[in-house]
Amino acid sequence: MTQQTERLAEADIRAILRAADELIATGGRTLLAKILKGSREKKLLQLELDHCPVYGYFKGTKLDDVLVKIDWMLDYELLDIQYSGKLPMIIFTERGWEIERDQRADEFLQEWNDWLAAGKQDPDMHYLKDRNRGMILLLLDKIKETGNPKYIPYLQEWEKIDYRKVRAAIRETIQALESDEPANLQAARERSASIQEALKGLEPRDVWLKCWVCGERFLFTAGEQHFFKQKGFVDPKRCPSCRGKRDDDIWLE
Ligand SMILES: [Zn+2]
């Protein structure tokens, strides 16, 4: 399996994270690649994954090459694989989620801007209920940071239908927008710096691990890590000699 040595562009990283958001913990790397490729496969259409804004983002790229890009995301710890039963599922790393949560909140805010520009009134806000709480609170922070009272009617609609904790945050946002105090943008600046850092990913490098059996240290190379991450395996616990002669014993860790 080829390894992508060249850094992925920021736009590509963002697109892959956005597509991953559609199937987090419910789909693997192949399904993720197919969303980005714009596959017309039945399963994908049934799940309405063709509605994803980055569906077909890598339309002109071969599926295998899209997979190489996804594996780069795994190597750089922007995505991870976790087993659900026997099925390897894509999950976000902390770094990957930090980026995705932020751009997803921006996407929701952009939608509000579009609705407001179109004069849409009293939208049904149930679509925001039961979303990831961290992302929702971030969306409210971003609304607060605009300092723009145009969002208040939508916030009031939303406040009617959400849970107590979110309602309190909505109320606080409305009050901030009603007040004349300038919005505090310090948090926004810190968030943006942190996201730029997260976008770099974590460059894979050889690491020394300690064998659980004999206590000797052994090298776990970047190349081996690439393979392990792709398969969703945890780091090996035993050194090569304790693992025995069979190479494929590494699978049984
Ligand atoms: Zn050992």
Side-chain angles (χ1 to χ4, degrees):
M1 178 63 69
T2 43
Q3 258 173 282
Q4 168 139 354
T5 46
E6 215 174 290
R7 277 200 70 79
L8 278 189
E10 178 178 333
D12 293 354
I13 293 175
R14 288 181 174 281
I16 296 171
L17 291 172
R18 180 62 186 85
D21 209 348
E22 299 293 330
L23 47 78
I24 220 67
T26 60
R29 52 195 270 288
T30 307
L31 188 58
L32 176 57
K34 285 177 180 171
I35 298 176
L36 290 155
K37 170 78 186 157
S39 155
R40 303 297 299 163
E41 213 170 78
K42 201 171 159 194
K43 179 186 175 188
L44 198 138
L45 300 179
Q46 274 169 350
L47 294 168
E48 299 191 337
L49 293 171
D50 54 327
H51 295 190
C52 173
V54 291
Y55 172 79
Y57 179 86
F58 288 127
K59 200 185 292 176
T61 309
K62 276 191 242 147
L63 192 67
D64 278 347
D65 293 333
V66 179
L67 283 165
V68 169
K69 292 177 195 298
I70 292 169
D71 290 341
W72 186 91
M73 300 283 284
L74 294 167
D75 284 343
Y76 277 70
E77 298 193 2
L78 287 150
L79 290 174
D80 205 354
I81 286 179
Q82 198 173 61
Y83 275 81
S84 169
K86 284 184 175 170
L87 298 173
M89 300 298 184
I90 289 280
I91 57 166
F92 285 122
T93 57
E94 205 177 305
R95 187 179 285 111
W97 175 237
E98 183 183 357
I99 302 164
E100 174 55 21
R101 181 182 61 177
D102 186 76
Q103 64 179 4
R104 198 69 197 273
D106 284 343
E107 196 178 308
F108 281 112
L109 188 54
Q110 183 54 48
E111 190 171 39
W112 277 26
N113 288 334
D114 294 344
W115 288 350
L116 285 163
K120 184 169 176 172
Q121 281 174 8
D122 308 333
D124 182 355
M125 290 296 177
H126 280 92
Y127 77 104
L128 289 175
K129 209 175 170 182
D130 297 313
R131 298 266 176 192
N132 175 277
R133 189 62 60 87
M135 191 273 292
I136 284 299
L137 295 177
L138 179 57
L139 170 60
L140 286 166
D141 281 344
K142 284 172 181 282
I143 293 170
K144 208 185 294 177
E145 285 156 9
T146 66
N148 195 330
K150 70 175 177 179
Y151 299 112
I152 292 175
Y154 284 6
L155 289 166
Q156 286 165 338
E157 283 302 310
W158 183 6
E159 194 184 5
K160 287 179 197 163
I161 58 97
D162 221 317
Y163 302 106
R164 196 169 53 85
K165 275 202 174 138
V166 179
R167 278 206 314 271
I170 296 171
R171 181 95 313 253
E172 198 195 312
T173 305
I174 293 173
Q175 281 161 357
L177 295 179
E178 279 168 343
S179 85
D180 293 331
E181 299 223 356
N184 181 359
L185 297 178
Q186 181 59 26
R189 278 190 289 268
E190 280 166 19
R191 214 164 51 225
S192 150
S194 176
I195 285 166
Q196 283 311 311
E197 198 54 40
L199 280 163
K200 291 179 189 163
L202 188 68
E203 193 172 346
R205 59 189 63 190
D206 297 353
V207 290
W208 289 94
L209 299 179
K210 195 173 173 186
C211 175
W212 282 25
V213 179
C214 68
E216 289 293 317
R217 281 152 70 77
F218 63 99
L219 199 61
F220 186 37
T221 67
E224 288 168 335
Q225 290 167 45
H226 171 78
F227 174 78
F228 271 58
K229 278 180 182 155
Q230 215 181 84
K231 298 287 179 195
F233 295 160
V234 296
D235 291 355
K237 294 180 176 63
R238 293 172 297 158
C239 72
S241 52
C242 288
R243 229 176 269 151
K245 287 188 185 104
R246 284 180 55 194
D247 272 352
D248 62 356
D249 217 23
I250 203 164
W251 292 68
L252 306 173
E253 290 292 339

